[in-house]
Amino acid sequence: MSRAFREAEKTPWIGGKRIRAYDAGLTSLGLLVAMIVALPLGLFDPQAFALPALALFVLGFAGALLLRVRALKGLRLNNGGVAQMTRGEDVAASTAFRAAATSIYGRDVVAMSLHNLGVLALRSLDLPSAVALQRAARAAGRGFRLPWQPSYAAEFAGAQLAFALAASGGDAELDEAAALVDADKPPSAPLAIAFAARARALLLARRGRFEETVDVLDGERALLRNVLPLNDAVLCEALLSYALLRLDDALRGAPRAHSPVLADDPARAYVKLIFPACEAVLVA
């Protein structure tokens, strides 16, 4: 985790500040154990252990309360950044996310803030920073948790990291992206499912496996259209159209004709960054 954090700290989105996080799940478990131990300790010998047991219980309760207050503060900071990001206020949003990532909050808050910074980096066409930030987000989100507690931040970051690596296009990056796609558990959140499908489709297209690209994008087409941001939705349509075009050029043909994809200037710039060959199917 430390190495991933150090790489993310070098990006302009963190600006050299130190990323700091504590394991809220493990800390909460320790405080709960302290409260549970305090009760039988006091009952075992009230005269000898009443005050230590009471102090242990109060410490556990107060610590749990402070953790809750701290978590809510971090969530408010992160959610405020998300609201600013959806309004297009990227500078203000990045300031909020950077503060949440560098001010000692729980792993989940830090992971989601780093993930959102990675989204902003990708939206700004800063691919190297996006890779570093999503790698750090994935590391931060993989702390202690009970088996029934999913880490949505780690799900988002893992799929986003695979996508950013696939967009980089180098052999080593493609291999790492493939390992992430195959190794991570299937995501449970709809947005994470869409991110994972987008990453898998881009990876397949980069490797020239266009039939599988069509299968992935057709299988999740409604979800991709409904939950992804506009530029990513355009990218997925462009990937599908390009894959059909390439299959049509092959001897066996495509299952259907490809269609031109409408893209404004920001969407066109985004598609060109991620997979330049798709520009062939874009129209203004």
Side-chain angles (χ1 to χ4, degrees), residues 101-249:
T102 58
S103 301
I104 317 181
Y105 288 103
R107 279 175 174 264
D108 284 345
V109 171
V110 171
M112 191 57 71
S113 298
L114 290 168
H115 163 261
N116 287 328
L117 280 171
V119 172
L120 287 176
L122 198 57
R123 196 155 79 177
S124 299
L125 310 184
D126 183 359
L127 198 54
S129 291
V131 170
L133 290 164
Q134 296 298 355
R135 198 187 302 279
R138 184 170 180 265
R142 301 184 68 166
F144 172 83
R145 65 188 65 251
L146 298 174
W148 58 84
Q149 292 180 304
S151 174
Y152 293 122
E155 286 186 358
F156 292 156
Q160 293 275 40
L161 175 57
F163 174 76
L165 287 166
S168 299
D171 290 340
E173 287 81 2
L174 291 177
D175 289 343
E176 186 179 355
L180 281 169
V181 167
D182 293 335
D184 280 0
K185 294 180 180 178
S188 55
L191 185 56
I193 294 171
F195 285 156
R198 179 194 59 169
R200 187 179 294 276
L202 178 61
L203 177 62
L204 291 168
R206 282 280 188 188
R207 289 187 159 166
R209 295 159 60 180
F210 296 115
E211 288 186 20
E212 294 171 76
T213 303
V214 172
D215 289 342
V216 169
L217 293 172
D218 273 345
E220 299 290 356
R221 197 171 187 185
L223 179 67
L224 294 171
R225 283 179 168 179
N226 288 326
V227 305
L228 288 182
L230 176 60
N231 288 352
D232 283 306
V234 171
L235 171 67
C236 288
E237 289 296 312
L239 282 171
L240 178 60
S241 181
Y242 180 74
L244 290 169
L245 177 64
R246 289 296 303 273
L247 288 173
D248 192 43
D249 290 340

